[in-house]
Amino acid sequence: MSLKDSQHGSNTHRDHRPHNLPLTDNFGKRSVKTFLDFRNTNTLESLDIKGFPVLCLVNLTCVSKVKVVSFLVGLTLMFLITASYILMWERKGLLLSAFPHPFTHVVVTTSTTADISLDKSLIDMKVLVEIINCNEQNTSRKVPDKKDVINTDPHFFSVIPDHFLPHIKSPCWYQELSSDIGTDPYKNNHFSLRSKSFKNVCDHMRARFHQHVCNIDGKLFRLRCLPYFYIIGQPKCGTTDLFHRLLMLPEVKFNTIKEPHWWTRKRFGYIRFKKGFQERFPIEDYLDLFDMAAINIQEGISGNSSTEQHVLQIITGEASASTMWDNQAWSYLNGYEEQIGPPFLAQDFIHAVQPGAKIIIMLRDPVER
């Protein structure tokens, strides 16, 4: 063997694998894979420094793309959750109940400021809890005097009498026909102009109207009725479901519009508050909603119905949920802008004209809602 072969070894037995570092058999270990081959490198010139960054980038591609996507998705979800909490905080404020009294500084008399003990901290916490749990002594709201309510809308109370017909279950009375009604009593009804379904009802009642006008002492009268019951409550609390279930009863008939919203909005001239004042719906338009029941009850009174007693038990109702909570129309009226709350509620007017009204309140757990 030549001297060159003895120094560098035979080429036929050399392992040319670029990433293996050969070890002697005495150690009995496997070859270790590396990025560089140091077998023929005794100087720095043999090391390819320019290719080293490329090898690092190749190593980064070994990272699973699934892990990168998972990280980005988790980061996005964390951002959305944090943003939602911030928005809820700005809208609702603190999750604690409103404090009836303002915070005051709690002065702890100690020798030095550093001597505040755990017992003192507990005492301060008890004071804070008492402030939070303190209940304001709210007096029950006094029902306003009926005369004060009447003075707000004299025409409204001139249409509805103080007493209703005793032998009819629904709150009904006779109203004298005015000369301006003519042949079409529903021509100017605002509900018929905005509701196609009620317009069809008016067309049907118009053909039968003069057949059910009664003559009393030489004067013409028509039977008028108010709803027998009112379903009120919060939105999404089942008022619609209850209303349609009540319509299955044989006594509940001839209901035309479920939610007229007359007591809280339309009688003040507001249909949607964001659109501003539009036009007032007079009390006569509201009573027209129950004329179908009044016409059938009049047939029973006149003896034209085969089931007279059953007809006299007919009742109607409406289910405007806003009657319970919506009193913001008062803030749009002249003279009430600077008041903290409305002087009269919708319930005050119902109680003034119909003390025996049946009011059904629908409530629900807001969490389940």
Side-chain angles (χ1 to χ4, degrees):
M1 181 181 297
S2 63
L3 178 62
K4 183 178 181 179
D5 293 335
S6 63
Q7 291 178 354
H8 300 286
S10 177
N11 293 332
T12 59
H13 298 285
R14 180 178 297 175
D15 190 359
H16 294 279
R17 288 178 294 178
H19 301 293
N20 291 340
L21 180 64
L23 300 175
T24 58
D25 295 334
N26 296 333
F27 294 98
K29 297 182 179 180
R30 295 181 181 179
S31 59
V32 180
K33 293 183 179 181
T34 62
F35 289 106
L36 303 174
D37 189 3
F38 294 95
R39 291 174 302 174
N40 297 327
T41 57
N42 295 325
T43 62
L44 294 176
E45 289 78 3
S46 63
L47 180 61
D48 189 3
I49 300 177
K50 295 182 179 179
F52 185 76
V54 178
L55 293 174
C56 293
L57 292 176
V58 173
N59 189 32
L60 290 177
T61 58
C62 299
V63 180
S64 176
K65 294 182 179 180
V66 178
K67 294 181 179 180
V68 175
V69 174
S70 300
F71 173 76
L72 294 177
V73 171
L75 186 63
T76 304
L77 291 176
M78 183 179 66
F79 172 77
L80 293 176
I81 294 173
T82 306
S84 64
Y85 273 100
I86 293 175
L87 293 176
M88 291 176 61
W89 184 280
E90 292 180 353
R91 184 176 62 180
K92 298 183 178 179
L94 294 175
L95 299 179
L96 300 175
S97 59
F99 297 150
H101 305 289
F103 280 112
T104 57
H105 296 286
V106 180
V107 180
V108 181
T109 57
T110 56
S111 57
T112 60
T113 56
D115 294 336
I116 300 177
S117 61
L118 180 61
D119 294 337
K120 294 293 183 180
S121 299
L122 292 177
I123 293 175
D124 295 342
M125 185 59 67
K126 291 180 180 179
V127 174
L128 178 61
V129 171
E130 290 179 358
I131 295 175
I132 295 175
N133 296 330
C134 179
N135 296 323
E136 291 188 65
Q137 296 179 355
N138 295 323
T139 58
S140 59
R141 181 178 179 271
K142 182 180 179 181
V143 178
D145 188 72
K146 185 176 180 180
K147 294 181 180 179
D148 297 333
V149 180
I150 293 175
N151 292 333
T152 60
D153 193 349
H155 173 71
F156 169 76
F157 289 94
S158 65
V159 174
I160 303 176
D162 294 333
H163 304 283
F164 304 115
L165 297 177
H167 58 285
I168 301 175
K169 190 173 183 178
S170 292
C172 301
W173 70 97
Y174 283 108
Q175 182 185 33
E176 184 177 358
L177 290 179
S178 59
S179 58
D180 58 348
I181 290 182
T183 58
D184 190 358
Y186 308 107
K187 180 180 180 180
N188 299 321
N189 187 286
H190 292 78
F191 286 101
S192 65
L193 297 177
R194 296 179 176 273
S195 174
K196 185 177 180 180
S197 60
F198 185 65
K199 182 180 181 300
N200 296 332
V201 174
C202 291
D203 294 339
H204 177 71
M205 294 189 299
R206 188 179 296 109
R208 304 171 56 190
F209 177 76
H210 291 281
Q211 300 176 6
H212 301 90
V213 174
C214 58
N215 191 327
I216 302 176
D217 298 333
K219 297 180 180 180
L220 298 179
F221 290 84
R222 63 188 294 190
L223 189 67
R224 286 291 209 177
C225 296
L226 279 170
Y228 180 79
F229 62 88
Y230 300 85
I231 301 177
I232 65 177
Q234 295 296 326
K236 306 301 180 183
C237 288
T239 55
T240 302
D241 180 72
L242 178 62
F243 180 76
H244 289 293
R245 289 178 183 271
L246 291 176
L247 293 181
M248 299 178 184
L249 300 176
E251 296 86 2
V252 183
K253 291 184 177 181
F254 312 113
N255 293 270
T256 55
I257 297 180
K258 170 187 173 284
E259 294 182 284
H261 296 290
W262 185 83
W263 293 96
T264 56
R265 302 174 187 175
K266 294 180 180 177
R267 72 187 184 100
F268 299 108
Y270 294 93
I271 300 176
R272 297 185 183 277
F273 289 106
K274 64 181 180 180
K275 295 183 178 180
F277 178 86
Q278 292 180 289
E279 54 185 353
R280 293 181 182 271
F281 287 51
I283 179 62
E284 290 81 4
D285 290 0
Y286 180 68
L287 296 177
D288 289 343
L289 300 178
F290 312 101
D291 265 9
M292 182 65 73
I295 290 174
N296 285 270
I297 293 174
Q298 180 60 40
E299 288 182 353
I301 295 175
S302 303
N304 299 328
S305 177
S306 59
T307 57
E308 177 180 350
Q309 295 299 325
H310 174 70
V311 171
L312 297 180
Q313 299 299 316
I314 290 177
I315 60 175
T316 59
E318 60 130 302
S320 300
S322 62
T323 307
M324 175 179 176
W325 47 266
D326 191 358
N327 292 282
Q328 60 178 320
W330 286 101
S331 61
Y332 295 90
L333 301 179
N334 295 330
Y336 296 101
E337 294 88 348
E338 298 180 356
Q339 292 193 7
I340 299 177
F344 306 103
L345 305 179
Q347 296 84 350
D348 297 330
F349 287 88
I350 297 176
H351 181 265
V353 300
Q354 195 178 350
K358 309 299 181 182
I359 299 179
I360 305 172
I361 303 176
M362 298 290 292
L363 299 176
R364 185 178 178 183
D365 187 349
V367 177
E368 294 180 358
R369 183 170 64 89

